[in-house]
Amino acid sequence: MTDLKGKIDFVLLISVKDANPNGDPLNGNRPRETYEGKGEISDVCIKRKIRNRFQDMGKKVYVQSSDRCDDGCNSLATRVSKNEELQQEVEKGKDADPQRFAEIACKEWIDVRTFGQVFAFKGIEVSVGVRGPVTIHQAISVDPVDIVSMQITKSVNSEDKKGKASDTMGTKHFIDFGLYIVKGSVNYQLAEKTGFSQEDAESLKFALSTLFENDESSARPAGSMEVCELVWWQHENRTPKNSTAKVHRSVQVKRKDGVDIPHSFSDYEINIDKIPDCVEPEEIILV
């Protein structure tokens, strides 16, 4: 594994059309939105999709969703117990070495050395926290979004009974169109501690550029969510002269002149401002 070359910043542009990118369970599973009416996708949702892509690449992932489990472990505690080195540390109880525990976990699972993880289980005295180098903001749409609600019915009986059951009413919510911005960064100092390598950074870049592969569902039909553009800064220094906030602000997204209501990515104009003493970004346009 090659050491990380330097700090990384990135900006990802995602288009959503006739889909629910991230439903809010406390609001009838309606698409999340801010008080200003802009669409929102939680950072947890984005990390889940990155983990799924890591699994598709054949990487070992610690936090797996139950429907994508690939190692036969039905819980996080079981996944820890199946690792002999980690189990040896657990059996030491209060005498366990948290640093050694973290090193083993980071070496074993890519998502632990990427995002970090808290290891704390009921009945186990070992409690270890790992700070990951990769941080991701929640995605916010450029403009306010229109949420469309559609009434749906069930036309089949759930159980055996005479006659046809009355149709069950339900509601399905989706966004007409929205362009979302995802911002993130890779901290060099934390990457050194977790062992996040340059190869891991390339895996992260590929996962971001193919974020919605194998992610289809009834709420997100195939083709309804698309990665449009990825802007990637691979700095040469551990701590560049320009802050991450300044680098992120250099990506300017606005509607083209004459466009009142955007309906596609082509209705927007993307500009990347030049920053003095800053490495040139790698711009990956995917549409």
Side-chain angles (χ1 to χ4, degrees):
M1 298 287 256
T2 308
D3 291 342
L4 191 65
K5 295 178 181 178
K7 183 181 178 182
I8 295 172
D9 295 307
F10 59 86
V11 172
L12 187 70
L13 301 180
I14 296 170
S15 69
V16 178
K17 188 172 181 63
D18 298 331
N20 185 345
N22 186 203
D24 185 352
L26 298 180
N27 192 23
N29 207 43
R30 285 170 58 85
R32 297 178 190 271
E33 59 180 333
T34 65
Y35 287 111
E36 294 80 17
K38 293 185 176 182
E40 184 178 25
I41 303 174
S42 72
D43 62 309
V44 176
C45 175
I46 296 168
K47 290 175 183 177
R48 174 73 270 151
K49 297 181 190 302
I50 293 173
R51 285 185 168 98
N52 290 346
R53 294 299 295 135
F54 282 160
Q55 283 184 266
D56 292 340
M57 287 183 248
K59 309 288 185 181
K60 285 188 175 182
V61 171
Y62 177 65
V63 182
Q64 302 179 18
S65 57
S66 57
D67 61 327
R68 289 182 62 103
C69 180
D70 59 14
D71 58 6
C73 299
N74 57 8
S75 70
L76 298 178
T78 303
R79 197 160 286 125
V80 167
S81 67
K82 280 200 170 185
N83 184 292
E84 293 183 4
E85 291 182 286
L86 288 178
Q87 188 57 29
Q88 289 175 5
E89 288 298 322
V90 170
E91 291 173 356
K92 293 179 183 178
K94 294 181 179 180
D95 295 327
D97 184 352
Q99 185 173 349
R100 173 62 180 159
F101 188 99
E103 288 175 357
I104 298 169
C106 288
K107 183 179 179 180
E108 180 75 3
W109 297 294
I110 186 173
D111 59 326
V112 175
R113 62 179 180 268
T114 300
F115 303 122
Q117 182 65 36
V118 175
F119 295 88
F121 308 106
K122 186 177 180 180
I124 299 178
E125 296 182 2
V126 178
S127 180
V128 179
V130 178
R131 286 185 63 193
V134 178
T135 52
I136 295 178
H137 300 215
Q138 67 269 31
I140 303 295
S141 66
V142 178
D143 292 305
V145 295
D146 289 329
I147 298 177
V148 180
S149 297
M150 176 188 298
Q151 293 296 319
I152 56 177
T153 60
K154 182 178 70 173
S155 58
V156 62
N157 294 341
S158 298
E159 300 175 356
D160 291 334
K161 58 176 66 179
K162 294 181 179 180
K164 181 178 178 296
S166 59
D167 290 341
T168 303
M169 302 297 294
T171 307
K172 188 174 183 179
H173 311 283
F174 57 91
I175 285 174
D176 186 29
F177 174 77
L179 181 65
Y180 290 71
I181 301 178
V182 181
K183 300 175 181 179
S185 180
V186 183
N187 181 289
Y188 187 92
Q189 284 75 12
L190 292 176
E192 278 187 316
K193 291 183 178 180
T194 67
F196 184 86
S197 65
Q198 186 62 37
E199 288 81 2
D200 290 334
E202 294 301 322
S203 295
L204 174 63
K205 184 199 295 185
F206 182 76
L208 289 168
S209 63
T210 59
L211 197 62
F212 303 110
E213 293 292 329
N214 302 324
D215 188 58
E216 299 87 351
S217 72
S218 61
R220 303 179 303 279
S224 62
M225 296 187 65
E226 184 177 22
V227 175
C228 300
E229 187 168 341
L230 172 62
V231 187
W232 184 270
W233 291 265
Q234 174 80 66
H235 300 282
E236 298 175 355
N237 304 318
R238 300 183 178 192
T239 307
K241 293 182 179 180
N242 297 285
S243 68
T244 294
K246 187 174 183 179
V247 172
H248 286 166
R249 285 198 302 270
S250 68
V251 179
Q252 305 289 329
V253 184
K254 64 177 183 179
R255 279 174 286 167
K256 292 180 178 179
D257 293 340
V259 176
D260 295 324
I261 302 176
H263 295 286
S264 69
F265 178 67
S266 61
D267 289 332
Y268 285 93
E269 184 178 292
I270 316 298
N271 293 308
I272 304 175
D273 296 337
K274 294 286 185 179
I275 305 176
D277 300 320
C278 183
V279 67
E280 288 292 323
E282 177 183 356
E283 187 177 6
I284 304 173
I285 301 175
L286 300 161
V287 295

